[in-house]
Amino acid sequence: MPNAVCRSCHHPLQHLFVDLRTSPLSNSYLRPEQLNLGTAYYPLRVFVCEQCLLVQLEQFESPQNIFEEYAYFSSYSSSWLAHAKQYVDTIIPRLSLDHSSFVVEIASNDGYLLQYFNPHSIPILGIEPAKNVARQAEASGVPTVSEFFSLAVSKQLVVERGTADLIIGNNVLAHVPELQDFVAGLKVLLSPAGTITLEFPHLLRLMRENQFDTIYHEHFSYLSLLSVTHLFSRYGLTVYDVEEWPTHGGSLRIFAKHAEHAALAVSPHVERILHEEIAYGLQDMSTYSGFSQQVKAVKEAVYTFLFQASRENKQVAAYGAPAKGNSLLNYLGVGTDYITYTVDNNPYKQGLFLPGSHIPIFSPAKIQETKPDYIMILPWNLKNEIEQELLYTREWDAKLVICIPKLEIY
């Protein structure tokens, strides 16, 4: 990443975190007629800023090319819907939200979360750049603006709708290349006594649990509380509380306010998480440089398993077509020679092919038809949910395979 600067603080980037070779965009699923066309591969090299500690990828594609037509619909995960409903049920009384409040969600997807505010008659607005997904939200009764959130969009919303008492952003901060513009927009849109809640996968968990497959081009940044508090403080925003959640392999939910809003005290949870990150070594560049060895160990173990299964003429199928699975398979360089197909509940993905590996995607019924010997669960964060769904595979003694944080066959 020669001559590159940090997207948070503009300090020169010099420290490599991990190099995952090259990969196509992880959500660029292919139609059958595209299989023989050329695929663009981009370096998947991650750096860490020694100044503000933001772990980040260089940008190769614009968000417009990545997100304007998107294959991810949040509502296809029952556990994610339950997580969203629980959030709404707790945040309404916590912030005393009512019909006079205004709630905005950035990257609101198909309305999976905002829909739960409707029974409470709380005014809502989704901001979702993917037009196909935004249409789905509108059809579900969630008013949605199909735009990329920015400082300019924020100013326009304040003129048209006023400031927001609650701004929600789940798994969006990591997808933003222009972090400074994004956070400046949050500052403008937030009402004087309002709250911002953002959820994002926790870098500490990524490193501890070797979740390197969550690194892909759509994730521009990999966030710690240290790096986020540094970023927010430069825009007059203070993180006043933080919660840990098991979602996406381990996430943080931060609560932020205007720095000048003194009525909200900072929770001791903030200091606890910061101390935990420092104790692990997230202020020390040598901690980051040691991550590559963990990644290589998984690669070697999975190669050995797939080679052995192939020699024994065992069929290996996969479950799920998440971006993280594509990141893993492209790093391994594995295709249909080792994994014959994958399945996914999302009908939008069925009939398509994984980018790079060209593994075909079917409906889950395919597993019952072909009775594979091994099923590799690609969305390991949904392992328990998928295990229950696959109980019927015990009929033919199929074994389930997880690759992260290490290879497990059970």
Side-chain angles (χ1 to χ4, degrees), residues 12-49:
L13 289 172
Q14 304 169 57
H15 298 276
L16 182 68
F17 176 53
V18 69
D19 186 346
L20 298 180
R21 308 194 320 167
T22 61
S23 177
L25 297 178
S26 285
N27 278 300
S28 56
Y29 299 90
L30 301 171
R31 298 186 300 276
E33 65 270 20
Q34 294 175 303
L35 288 177
N36 294 323
L37 303 177
T39 297
Y41 281 72
Y42 304 97
L44 202 47
R45 293 185 304 157
V46 191
F47 292 78
V48 58
C49 175

Side-chain angles (χ1 to χ4, degrees), residues 65-93:
N65 284 348
I66 296 174
F67 296 114
E68 282 205 334
E69 184 81 9
Y70 205 47
Y72 181 75
F73 290 76
S74 296
S75 293
Y76 287 112
S77 169
S78 57
S79 60
W80 187 241
L81 284 176
H83 178 71
K85 186 175 188 305
Q86 182 182 19
Y87 167 85
V88 173
D89 289 345
T90 56
I91 202 72
I92 289 173

Side-chain angles (χ1 to χ4, degrees), residues 102-159:
F102 181 37
V103 175
V104 174
E105 184 182 11
I106 302 167
S108 50
N109 203 264
D110 57 7
Y112 75 101
L113 184 147
L114 288 178
Q115 63 179 332
Y116 296 116
F117 284 100
N118 278 334
H120 303 276
S121 301
I122 296 173
I124 55 172
L125 180 68
I127 302 174
E128 172 52 54
K131 291 177 170 47
N132 61 318
V133 183
R135 285 193 295 271
Q136 183 71 38
E138 286 277 358
S140 302
V142 174
T144 304
V145 174
S146 192
E147 297 275 2
F148 283 93
F149 183 75
S150 64
L151 178 58
V153 168
S154 178
K155 289 177 177 176
Q156 183 181 341
L157 284 175
V158 171
V159 170

